[in-house]
Amino acid sequence: MRLVWTTILGLVLVGCQARKTGSIRIDPGLEALIPADTVFIVGGNLDAVRETPVYQKLLSRVPLTQLDEFTRQTGLDPRRDLSQVLSCSNGKNAVLMARGKFDIADLEKRLQSGGAVRSSYKKHDLFESQRLSFLFLNASTALLGQAADLHSILDRGSAGGLPPALRDVIRDIPANDQVWAALTGGVQNLNLAVPRDSNLANIVSALKSIDTAVIGMDLSSGIGLNVQVACKTERDAKFVHDMLKGVVGIGRLNTPDKHPELLQLYDAIQVTTQQNHAQVTAQIPADLADRFLDLWLKK
């Protein structure tokens, strides 16, 4: 049952709702730094997310001890100091990019006092801790990743940008999605560290037929969902469709008798297929989203 709840939450929390014309906008300063070999990208407009009722209610209910400790040690509070984040992966390594307000002198001092090793490359200081390096390009731009990947970004300067394949895919992500993700090249190109014989490994194996995927989230009013995947063949899309329908069906069957209202949540999740494409959509109203989050946080 825990697996069902986690899977459903994963589906719901990567959704989108009322559609706006146009595509999502990536901060130009971050877009220029995107590595050319990126195949999986996740973006978040944290300024917009913080304004949503779902975020505000969730933040008030979840214990944030670890985040508070992180803030105490680093002087950086993601809840306040970050405005946009972008994670770019080539399937093996990932670089996290952030726009926000950074007190560089204080942050670098805290990193060194915490044991980070300082090095210099192309007139920039890097601070390595536990095999990851921090780099502050300026007071509004920070990068986190392996030193070699950060060196490559500095070597290239501002000559980066979205690879054409990813650019084509994210055109389908509406402008008002506060959090989004896109994948090209298939799931098999991602180095997913999951136990070989686990249920999650079986799911990952089943999803290897996916060529591209786009995901969006909009928490402006309740929770919505829109996940679109393109598979190699119509048969593959049908398989993905049936698998997702099965997950939703198991959730319905395991709905506690004392919470019949949750059937509305499962009923709101629609899984469809057309040729070699599969799609998951949902519209979760604010009151039902509140009840769902309450129950999930108690698990």
Side-chain angles (χ1 to χ4, degrees), residues 24-49:
I24 52 102
R25 176 185 179 275
I26 301 177
D27 181 281
L30 296 182
E31 183 175 359
L33 302 174
I34 296 174
D37 60 352
T38 300
V39 297
F40 180 54
I41 187 169
V42 180
N45 183 341
L46 301 187
D47 284 339
V49 170

Side-chain angles (χ1 to χ4, degrees), residues 31-192:
E31 183 175 359
L33 302 174
I34 296 174
D37 60 352
T38 300
V39 297
F40 180 54
I41 187 169
V42 180
N45 183 341
L46 301 187
D47 284 339
V49 170
R50 279 191 286 266
E51 297 177 357
T52 65
V54 168
Y55 172 85
Q56 294 168 5
K57 293 174 182 177
L58 183 64
L59 186 65
S60 67
R61 300 172 190 174
V62 179
L64 299 174
T65 304
Q66 291 183 333
L67 183 56
D68 291 337
E69 179 63 17
F70 172 83
T71 299
R72 187 188 68 78
Q73 292 181 356
T74 65
L76 178 66
D77 189 345
R79 294 162 294 190
R80 179 194 64 231
D81 299 329
L82 300 184
S83 57
Q84 291 199 28
V85 294
L86 199 65
S87 176
C88 305
S89 173
N90 60 8
K92 298 177 181 179
N93 302 325
V95 175
L96 179 65
M97 309 175 180
R99 293 284 257 175
K101 298 178 181 178
F102 306 115
D103 184 340
I104 296 178
D106 180 64
L107 290 169
E108 292 181 343
K109 180 180 179 180
R110 288 174 182 265
L111 285 169
Q112 285 189 287
S113 65
V117 178
R118 183 173 187 162
S119 63
S120 181
Y121 188 80
K122 295 284 182 77
K123 299 182 180 181
H124 289 278
D125 292 326
L126 281 72
F127 297 82
E128 185 171 358
S129 177
Q130 298 180 351
R131 295 187 296 179
L132 289 177
S133 293
F134 293 82
L135 166 63
F136 299 98
L137 288 177
N138 50 54
S140 65
T141 308
L143 307 180
L144 172 65
Q146 295 188 9
D149 295 325
L150 300 188
H151 289 175
S152 296
I153 290 175
L154 291 175
D155 288 338
R156 192 181 61 248
S158 60
L162 272 172
L166 270 177
R167 186 178 299 278
D168 289 342
V169 170
I170 70 168
R171 287 174 181 167
D172 293 331
I173 305 176
N176 63 323
D177 287 351
Q178 297 106 343
V179 178
W180 55 271
L183 167 72
T184 60
V187 174
Q188 66 273 10
N189 288 332
L190 301 181
N191 183 22
L192 300 175

